[in-house]
Amino acid sequence: MKNIIKIVLLPVLCVGLLAGCANSADEALSLKKNDTLYQVSTINSLLAGNYDGFISSGELKNYGDVGIGTFNALDGEMVMIDNTAYKVKSTGEVVKVSDTETTPFAVVTHFDKDATVELTNIANLDALKAELDKLIENKNLFYVFRIDGTFKTIQARSVPRQEKPYPVMTEAVKQQSVFSFTNVTGSIVGIWCPDYIGGVNVPGYHFHFISEDRTQGGHLLDVSFDKALAFADSTDGFVMAVSPTEPEGSVKDLGSELDAVEQ
């Protein structure tokens, strides 16, 4: 049973030049492990309006093949699946991302299935979370989920590219576009973080969706389905690249601001 969280913070220059950072040599080895979650910046920084990308999509692929995030200037929702990054734009268009495009916030891992379960008769997002709760054996660990199936309904959103001076995220999401899909085959990619991670990432669940044909997707707001396969990967390692820039805004009430941007 995994029971130890290994947390490593890497300055951005060391992430980009690991061979030249003697103090980070051992930590760099952990990035190649399946049981390591690699994160770009913190959710607090993103909430406060720090949307400047500083890690490229190409570099991100070195640290994981499944994950979620966003892009420079908060330009759309990221879904990484099968080691390919996709952007869901606020227009609803889905594009494959070039390796040079950057991210201010993302979470990825080398997905290694620890559990597989068939889920049935899921009426909404809360019901999905309740079923996935059964796969979380240790609430001190991180969990990454992939759920494949044909979904009766999907409600998702994306946020348009922001211009400087960047607004805080609670203001940016007021411009979001919401999409509704029916009878769509695809994958939900999700992260579950422990309660103690608040400020670093979103405590609890955070899901993105992408269709099998890679033409529809977004940040998941709601879902229903009759049957789907859920795969879980528990993760006891955590490595974060710290943003080199400071946000102009601030986070006044983490809980309420997270609620506002997640819904």
Side-chain angles (χ1 to χ4, degrees), residues 109-173:
T109 193
H110 294 289
F111 196 76
D112 182 25
K113 292 181 287 188
D114 292 321
T116 302
V117 63
E118 183 177 81
L119 304 179
T120 58
N121 301 319
I122 299 298
N124 51 44
L125 186 57
D126 286 340
L128 173 60
K129 292 177 181 179
E131 289 302 309
L132 295 181
D133 282 347
K134 299 174 184 178
L135 299 177
I136 297 174
E137 297 180 350
N138 186 335
K139 291 189 176 181
N140 288 319
L141 303 184
F142 297 87
Y143 286 78
V144 180
F145 295 97
R146 174 173 174 167
I147 304 163
D148 296 337
T150 297
F151 303 95
K152 291 167 62 177
T153 61
I154 289 280
Q155 188 176 63
R157 72 107 193 272
S158 186
V159 178
R161 181 184 181 90
Q162 303 297 301
E163 301 296 333
K164 290 187 175 181
Y166 294 136
V168 295
M169 198 169 180
T170 51
E171 292 299 316
V173 297

Side-chain angles (χ1 to χ4, degrees), residues 84-107:
T84 302
Y86 297 91
K87 176 193 291 187
V88 182
K89 297 183 177 182
S90 61
T91 60
E93 180 186 7
V94 179
V95 296
K96 185 177 177 180
V97 175
S98 73
D99 284 347
T100 59
E101 190 145 3
T102 59
T103 175
F105 181 81
V107 187

Side-chain angles (χ1 to χ4, degrees), residues 21-88:
C21 298
N23 292 337
S24 298
D26 292 339
E27 290 89 337
L29 295 176
S30 72
L31 298 179
K32 297 180 180 180
K33 286 187 56 203
N34 287 347
D35 292 325
T36 298
L37 198 69
Y38 175 79
Q39 181 169 310
V40 178
S41 193
T42 68
I43 192 64
N44 255 11
S45 182
L46 192 72
L47 287 171
N50 189 358
Y51 309 144
D52 287 334
F54 64 99
I55 296 291
S56 72
S57 295
E59 188 173 359
L60 199 60
K61 293 176 186 176
N62 293 326
Y63 308 130
D65 49 28
V66 167
I68 57 178
T70 187
F71 296 96
N72 183 60
L74 204 66
D75 185 19
E77 305 287 344
M78 176 194 294
V79 186
M80 181 178 282
I81 190 166
D82 299 329
N83 206 40
T84 302
Y86 297 91
K87 176 193 291 187
V88 182

